Amino acid sequence: MSRTLNYKHLRYFWMVARCGSIARASERLHLTPHAVSGQLTQFEHSLGVALFQRQGRQRALTEAGRSLLDYADRIFALGDEALAALDDAGLHLRPRITIGIADSLPKSIAAGLLRTMLRMDPPVRLTCTEGRLPQLVGELGMHRVAAVLADRPLPPGISVRAYSHLLGRSPLTVFAAPALLERQPRAFPALLDGAPFLMPGEDVAFRPALQQWLSTRGIEPQVVAEFDDLALLKAFGSSGAGFFVAPTKIAADIERQYGVCRVGELETVLAEVYLLTTERLLKHPAMQEIRRTATMLLKADGAA
């Protein structure tokens, strides 16, 4: 009959060998010394070799015991590695939620809406992918993303069966670097006339309303650059390259992050935030979490 290794007994042997005595090992194992001694005796009988020998009042390892201890060290070290690997794998077993973020949506708003998803229970593994809205809507239709955060509803003529959920809206505020603002003697909004201005790109939903606001007031800023990526626009604005606009709801974050000042508010020009999903109703817990967060960050007047 072939022998098999009893790993519970091996653990007791290993603990006694490393602790130096049955008494200390039994404390670590939360067993009585008598129970540990009995288990060691059974282990030696099953192996057919003596693992310890008496040296006065102490137990010393036999040659077989020293050999087995070397194997036991490696076995339990490997066991610890296996547990650590399982802990790491557990992170990858979390449900993955992929959210598309339109280039034209301010990243501060996207981050604020998605940050609480990292604290969901049960936890999820969040993946964010960024791109132009038509591309992301195509990804949504192929179920490669669970939802899309955008600054506009679904474009007309899109063949994808999806729904637009208004999360909130915010008026715009004009910002400028302190050095640029100091060089403007006039008050807002007249100071924008002829001043260097960073214009949102054509992909940004509120651009037409912004241009209309300027036109109706006879204001013609000097457009020095255009940006589809609003994070890059703010970075240029921080350097003093020109005046720029951003949602009032995140004005404090912009002042803190980019070191700029508020110049004035465009109350009638609104930036909107939408969640585009394949669900008519937001049933998925992650989508519900985004909407709950939006109620705190944004005021969605008339939201559906």
Side-chain angles (χ1 to χ4, degrees):
M1 177 182 290
S2 62
R3 292 180 296 176
T4 59
L5 190 61
N6 185 315
Y7 288 95
K8 181 177 75 172
H9 289 168
L10 180 65
R11 170 71 71 174
Y12 295 163
F13 157 75
W14 180 72
M15 190 66 70
V16 171
R18 285 303 171 200
C19 289
S21 72
I22 289 179
R24 283 195 292 269
S26 63
E27 292 176 0
R28 296 281 300 276
L29 294 168
H30 303 289
L31 297 170
T32 65
H34 179 75
V36 173
S37 179
Q39 297 288 335
L40 278 181
T41 300
Q42 290 184 34
F43 191 37
E44 289 178 322
H45 286 166
S46 68
L47 295 176
V49 294
L51 301 174
F52 294 96
Q53 59 186 358
R54 289 283 184 182
Q55 286 187 350
R57 296 184 177 180
Q58 302 296 321
R59 285 176 176 258
L61 289 169
T62 63
E63 185 176 346
R66 286 192 293 272
S67 177
L68 183 60
L69 179 61
D70 182 58
Y71 283 105
D73 285 338
R74 285 181 278 171
I75 287 170
F76 293 122
L78 190 60
D80 291 340
E81 289 180 20
L83 290 175
L86 287 174
D87 287 341
D88 291 340
L91 296 175
H92 301 289
L93 294 176
R94 294 180 177 183
R96 182 191 294 270
I97 300 294
T98 302
I99 304 294
I101 302 171
D103 287 335
S104 51
L105 184 73
K107 301 305 177 291
S108 297
I109 289 179
L113 292 174
L114 297 176
R115 192 175 294 119
T116 58
M117 289 179 60
L118 302 179
R119 300 191 292 272
M120 288 181 61
D121 185 20
V124 299
R125 185 180 181 190
L126 176 63
T127 300
C128 297
T129 182
E130 191 176 354
R132 296 170 71 93
L133 184 56
Q135 169 200 342
L136 294 175
V137 171
E139 298 286 304
L140 179 65
M142 291 184 286
H143 302 286
R144 292 177 180 170
V145 298
V148 176
L149 284 171
D151 63 341
R152 68 185 72 202
L154 283 164
I158 294 293
S159 59
V160 174
R161 185 178 178 83
Y163 302 91
S164 302
H165 306 274
L166 177 61
L167 296 180
R169 48 171 60 97
S170 170
L172 299 182
T173 289
V174 178
F175 298 86
L180 174 62
L181 188 58
E182 289 172 1
R183 298 198 298 268
Q184 304 298 325
R186 293 176 293 179
F188 176 83
L191 58 76
L192 296 176
D193 192 38
F197 193 82
L198 306 176
M199 181 68 73
E202 293 184 357
D203 278 352
V204 178
F206 61 72
R207 172 175 164 146
L210 170 61
Q211 291 176 312
Q212 180 66 26
W213 187 92
L214 294 169
S215 177
T216 56
R217 287 160 180 77
I219 297 172
E220 294 186 14
Q222 179 188 356
V223 177
V224 297
E226 298 185 24
F227 301 86
D228 286 331
D229 186 335
L230 297 185
L232 186 59
L233 182 150
K234 296 183 188 75
F236 271 73
S238 175
S239 70
F243 289 86
F244 66 95
V245 297
T248 304
K249 294 291 185 180
I250 56 173
D253 289 339
I254 292 173
E255 287 179 307
R256 181 171 56 253
Q257 183 175 355
Y258 294 97
V260 294
C261 304
R262 302 187 206 196
V263 178
E265 187 172 299
L266 285 59
E267 295 181 354
T268 59
V269 184
L270 300 177
E272 296 182 326
V273 183
Y274 287 86
L275 181 66
L276 312 181
T277 73
T278 55
E279 299 177 330
R280 182 184 295 273
L281 300 176
L282 298 180
K283 298 178 181 178
H284 192 288
M287 303 305 107
Q288 293 176 346
E289 183 64 29
I290 291 175
R291 168 154 280 180
R292 280 194 295 270
T293 304
T295 60
M296 294 182 288
L297 296 180
L298 304 164
K299 182 180 180 182
D301 298 327

